[in-house]
Amino acid sequence: MIVLQGNDITVSFGERTLFSDVNFAVDENDKIGLAGVNGAGKTTLFRMLSGNGPEDWSGKIVKQSGLSIGFMEQHVLRNDSISVYEEALSVFKPLIDIEAELENLHSRIDSGETSNELLERQMHLTEKFQSEGGLTFRARTESMLTGMGFSSDSFGKQVSVLSGGERSKLQLIKLLLSGAKLLLLDEPTNHLDIEASEWLESFLTDFKGAYIVISHDKYFLDKVTNKTFALDNGTLDIYKGNYSEYLRQYDERVIFLTKKYTEMTEEIHRIEGIIEQQKRFNQEHNYITIRSKEKQIERIKKELVPPPPPRKKIRFRIPCRAAHGTDVITAEGLSLSIDKKLLFHNISFEIKYGERVFLLGANGCGKSSLMKLMLGMLKGEGKAYIADWLKIGYFDQLQELRLTSSKSTLDFVWDDFPKLNRTQVQSALAMFKLYGDQLQKPVNTLSGGEAAKVILLKIMLEGPNLLLLDEPTNHLDLDAREGLIEALSDYAGTMLIISHDRSMINSLATKLMFLHKDRIEIFSGSYDEWRESLQEKTGQTLFRSDVRKDESDGGKTGRVNAYKQQKEHQSILRRLNTRIKRIEDEIEETERGISGLNDRLAEGSDDYQKVMEDSENLSQLELRLAKLMDEWEKAQRELEEAGNREV
């Protein structure tokens, strides 16, 4: 069933048309990836679908009656003075209001008020509360916060002290809890570590509804989408399948349509040659042939559609200086504390020449700090040795934010490499899709993606034989990421990379190093190979020292740490105790109702109709009591089993 449809949508900004005559439909269970280069209009389209688009547009957006759309921008954090938990819980304000009213009703009934109106209101609200998830909304909120990387200790943190990444995650949590039937997810994996990304993948896989997602994370898109909307060159094309399947189909389509266009163009030229020949004959019957051939050309031209352009890939090579040994990095007993907070202690490892190592771990565990410690940019304990014959190319994930120079992009690169001529510098920048007016932009006005490209280009021109890259793909679009991965695949030197990009890890890694507080865990192989090995080892630790247990009921397995397991176990016990308390309250209320009706029937009445109503109500309450007693016994058994379960 179609829940949302766009017909002939055109958006313009001044004289520039962003896209035109866009048509699409979203079915109730569609999992859609919205692809397109930066600036194609993806976020603009999202805003339009959420009702916050630009004024200057034409066309029609048709929504299913009652459709609730959740867009991350709608779930802003408006109150900085409340806690993380309270902010996440604010999504359930209607349920919280019902809960408060029920508590008030319970108090009134406990104090002796037993009017039918009061009991009916209580029964109505209880059923509404339960049917809308009132018994689980707190547990779901806690699970969502934990899954997205908030420790239970941080639930009480004020929103005002959250980092930009934590605020983004909290907005995403509110969106996922909102109950919307269509989600618009704009870069949802930004600021997420790998574990949180996997948790989000699991959530979306089980999501009962539709969503459209914009992401520069190819691995994520391939996991969570089954349809792709490609918004590019001012049009929107629809492909069945995930992002990788879209790329395959797009390339095949370009080849097919280019071949067809060439054949039709050649046919037009052939017919035009016949027409010229007929004109030279200059005989009366030749004019009939000429007219017939001209009509044939007109028919072909009506069907002649220029093929879409082939994908513009970033292609470059990172030259590598000769190696003079095999030992590259040796770390012994590294320890570091920042602001009296211990990040890691007694960390030791070795990296040999030619290895492609990825340093992984949860956000905040100290990966970037470890890299800076090795480079001597931070002071800690222990020893870090980097061979002195190495030329290091270092990419700081925050470096692009420090480009404060007002030099043009061209001069910013050229000044560091004066031996190159202007054409060589322009050609190098063009490899990163930086050309035209972009070359004259001051570097302090570059976007995050443009700045990252400039820094990567300068690293490339230096010809390092050791690359230390801290989140190099953070601001790069999918094409740029693909180009960087291809360049690194051909790179002959050694690399140590911090990244959450699982597509990059799978393509490049020969070794994974997981940073824990007191050790480095090493695995030889790719990310998917590591995941497969974990499936064979029950209880294998994750980089949060976790053993993640499946949170869904679909047979999927995961890992949570022992601490999280304990907290979940406590949460289960709390929920069961709360459930038993609610059932006991209802039993007590029902017994009071039965007692009241029995007393009234015992008194006798001349009102036959009233006696019949009381008898019927008594029968209903007795059935309700029997059902509640069964529920109470079942909950008690579950509580006993949960209490005996080892954690």
Side-chain angles (χ1 to χ4, degrees):
M1 180 186 295
I2 293 175
V3 296
L4 183 142
Q5 193 165 353
N7 299 320
D8 300 322
I9 299 174
T10 297
V11 176
S12 299
F13 293 100
E15 296 182 357
R16 182 196 171 204
T17 298
L18 195 59
F19 47 80
S20 61
D21 300 323
V22 162
N23 294 279
F24 60 87
V26 180
D27 287 332
E28 58 187 347
N29 291 312
D30 271 348
K31 319 296 183 188
I32 300 167
L34 179 56
V37 297
N38 290 343
K42 303 186 295 293
T43 300
T44 298
L45 182 59
F46 266 17
R47 290 191 179 122
M48 292 174 65
L49 298 182
S50 67
N52 296 303
E55 294 181 5
D56 187 14
W57 70 282
S58 61
K60 193 174 184 181
I61 296 175
V62 182
K63 302 175 186 177
Q64 183 188 60
S65 177
L67 176 69
S68 55
I69 298 178
F71 181 30
M72 192 165 169
E73 284 193 354
Q74 295 171 329
H75 295 273
V76 294
L77 313 181
R78 294 186 175 87
N79 189 348
D80 276 2
S81 64
I82 64 176
S83 70
V84 167
Y85 182 65
E86 289 171 324
E87 180 65 40
L89 212 60
S90 67
V91 172
F92 298 107
K93 188 178 184 307
L95 283 174
I96 293 171
D97 291 343
I98 293 175
E99 189 175 49
E101 186 177 351
L102 278 172
E103 288 177 2
N104 177 258
L105 290 174
H106 290 156
S107 297
R108 290 170 62 185
I109 291 170
D110 287 345
S111 65
E113 290 187 54
T114 56
S115 68
N116 285 338
E117 183 180 353
L118 200 65
L119 294 173
E120 287 173 5
R121 178 65 177 166
Q122 184 198 44
M123 188 172 294
H124 167 72
L125 286 179
T126 299
E127 290 175 357
K128 182 179 176 65
F129 185 74
Q130 292 176 352
S131 67
E132 294 182 4
L135 298 179
T136 62
F137 75 92
R138 281 189 169 80
R140 282 186 284 137
T141 301
E142 291 175 15
S143 175
M144 188 86 66
L145 285 165
T146 304
M148 295 295 276
F150 286 96
S151 67
S152 58
D153 292 339
S154 68
F155 286 9
K157 249 166 105 172
Q158 276 197 341
V159 172
S160 59
V161 302
L162 296 182
S163 67
E166 289 172 326
R167 293 175 75 93
S168 294
K169 287 202 286 187
L170 190 50
Q171 282 181 267
L172 178 59
I173 287 166
K174 290 178 66 178
L175 170 63
L176 299 180
L177 289 169
S178 69
K181 296 302 181 184
L182 172 61
L183 303 179
L184 304 177
L185 305 169
D186 194 349
E187 294 292 352
T189 59
N190 273 5
H191 309 294
L192 298 188
D193 58 27
I194 290 178
E195 187 185 9
S197 293
E198 287 190 337
W199 185 92
L200 180 58
E201 285 167 10
S202 176
F203 176 89
L204 292 176
T205 299
D206 295 333
F207 180 66
K208 306 302 182 187
Y211 55 78
I212 309 175
V213 57
I214 300 170
S215 179
H216 289 159
D217 186 335
K218 180 182 175 183
Y219 192 100
F220 176 76
L221 283 174
D222 282 348
K223 285 281 189 180
V224 303
T225 63
N226 56 23
K227 184 185 289 187
T228 301
F229 287 176
L231 186 61
D232 216 348
N233 301 307
T235 62
L236 187 144
D237 295 308
I238 299 173
Y239 295 83
K240 290 183 179 179
N242 60 21
Y243 185 78
S244 291
E245 181 61 19
Y246 146 66
L247 292 182
R248 185 191 67 78
Q249 291 180 40
Y250 182 87
D251 290 343
E252 287 181 354
R253 181 168 169 251
V254 169
I255 293 170
F256 172 77
L257 292 178
T258 300
K259 182 173 181 290
K260 184 178 178 181
Y261 183 82
T262 301
E263 290 173 349
M264 293 173 75
T265 303
E266 289 174 350
E267 178 66 7
I268 289 172
H269 291 329
R270 186 187 70 81
I271 297 171
E272 286 175 340
I274 294 173
I275 290 173
E276 287 300 317
Q277 185 183 56
Q278 294 296 321
K279 285 181 179 178
R280 286 196 299 271
F281 291 158
N282 198 26
Q283 296 180 14
E284 185 176 341
H285 71 274
N286 296 127
Y287 291 107
I288 298 173
T289 303
I290 289 169
R291 186 60 188 144
S292 173
K293 294 299 181 184
E294 287 175 341
K295 287 183 177 179
Q296 189 176 351
I297 289 176
E298 289 172 7
R299 286 195 298 271
I300 294 174
K301 284 184 175 179
K302 284 181 180 178
E303 299 176 6
L304 190 63
V305 179
R311 289 188 293 123
K312 293 180 181 178
K313 296 183 180 180
I314 290 179
R315 297 187 185 278
F316 64 99
R317 188 180 69 86
I318 304 175
C320 179
R321 302 186 183 198
H324 299 288
T326 57
D327 293 332
V328 173
I329 299 174
T330 302
E332 296 179 354
L334 295 182
S335 300
L336 182 66
S337 297
I338 295 180
D339 296 331
K340 297 183 179 180
K341 177 188 176 185
L342 177 67
L343 291 180
F344 47 81
H345 173 68
N346 199 28
I347 298 299
S348 301
F349 59 89
E350 288 184 341
I351 296 176
K352 301 295 185 181
Y353 191 79
E355 287 189 316
R356 300 173 175 184
V357 183
F358 279 78
L359 180 60
L360 307 179
N363 286 344
C365 72
K367 301 184 296 296
S368 298
S369 298
L370 176 59
M371 189 172 279
K372 286 183 170 71
L373 181 62
M374 290 160 46
L375 289 167
M377 298 167 66
L378 291 175
K379 290 186 178 180
E381 298 177 3
K383 296 179 181 179
Y385 168 75
I386 298 179
D388 54 13
W389 53 265
L390 289 161
K391 174 67 176 177
I392 300 172
Y394 172 56
F395 181 95
D396 181 347
Q397 66 168 311
L398 300 177
Q399 193 168 343
E400 67 270 16
L401 303 179
R402 302 189 186 121
L403 295 183
T404 57
S405 172
S406 58
K407 290 180 182 179
S408 70
T409 302
L410 179 68
D411 289 338
F412 185 73
V413 176
W414 201 357
D415 287 353
D416 282 358
F417 301 95
K419 291 182 180 180
L420 300 178
N421 61 41
R422 185 185 187 90
T423 300
Q424 288 173 319
V425 176
Q426 287 177 327
S427 298
L429 286 161
M431 287 191 297
F432 284 83
K433 294 187 184 178
L434 295 169
Y435 30 62
D437 294 341
Q438 290 172 308
L439 302 187
Q440 301 308 316
K441 283 174 68 173
V443 293
N444 57 9
T445 65
L446 295 177
S447 68
E450 291 169 336
K453 290 177 184 178
V454 169
I455 296 165
L456 288 168
L457 169 61
K458 292 178 77 169
I459 290 173
M460 178 197 82
L461 293 174
E462 288 168 354
N465 45 22
L466 171 61
L467 292 176
L468 300 178
L469 308 179
D470 188 357
E471 297 288 359
T473 62
N474 258 7
H475 297 289
L476 299 182
D477 60 25
L478 282 159
D479 288 341
R481 290 185 182 207
E482 188 177 335
L484 178 60
I485 291 171
E486 287 184 8
L488 292 174
S489 296
D490 296 331
Y491 177 65
T494 308
M495 61 181 80
L496 174 61
I497 302 176
I498 299 170
S499 180
H500 294 148
D501 188 329
R502 289 162 292 173
S503 181
M504 171 181 265
I505 301 170
N506 270 337
S507 299
L508 300 173
T510 60
K511 181 192 288 187
L512 307 180
M513 297 198 314
F514 298 94
L515 178 60
H516 302 268
K517 227 166 198 177
D518 57 355
R519 73 190 191 285
I520 284 276
E521 176 191 351
I522 294 176
F523 176 84
S524 295
S526 69
Y527 178 78
D528 279 348
E529 289 169 341
W530 173 70
R531 293 297 294 160
E532 288 174 9
S533 75
L534 284 179
Q535 292 176 5
E536 299 171 1
K537 299 176 183 177
T538 304
Q540 178 69 32
T541 58
L542 257 172
F543 38 81
R544 275 190 186 145
S545 302
D546 290 359
V547 180
R548 232 181 134 179
K549 183 175 73 171
D550 182 25
E551 294 177 354
S552 69
D553 56 358
K556 302 180 182 67
T557 58
R559 293 160 180 80
V560 287
N561 59 22
Y563 176 75
K564 191 187 298 183
Q565 273 192 319
Q566 184 180 14
K567 297 300 289 183
E568 288 180 350
H569 185 251
Q570 291 171 354
S571 178
I572 290 170
L573 294 177
R574 283 198 306 272
R575 290 201 302 272
L576 285 170
N577 278 312
T578 301
R579 181 177 158 199
I580 289 170
K581 178 67 169 60
R582 290 189 184 283
I583 294 172
E584 287 174 344
D585 287 345
E586 288 189 49
I587 288 172
E588 188 175 335
E589 292 166 9
T590 305
E591 287 177 338
R592 279 201 298 267
I594 290 172
S595 177
L597 288 171
N598 278 325
D599 289 344
R600 196 154 64 201
L601 287 169
E603 291 173 359
S605 172
D606 295 329
D607 188 343
Y608 174 78
Q609 187 65 35
K610 186 63 177 173
V611 170
M612 291 298 294
E613 286 177 5
D614 286 344
S615 298
E616 178 62 23
N617 289 336
L618 180 62
S619 298
Q620 292 296 324
L621 286 177
E622 287 173 343
L623 289 172
R624 174 68 177 158
L625 180 61
K627 184 178 178 182
L628 286 169
M629 292 301 297
D630 288 340
E631 289 178 8
W632 183 85
E633 290 176 2
K634 181 181 177 182
Q636 285 285 2
R637 284 196 301 272
E638 289 177 7
L639 179 62
E640 184 178 349
E641 290 170 2
N644 294 332
R645 196 176 301 143
E646 291 186 3
V647 181

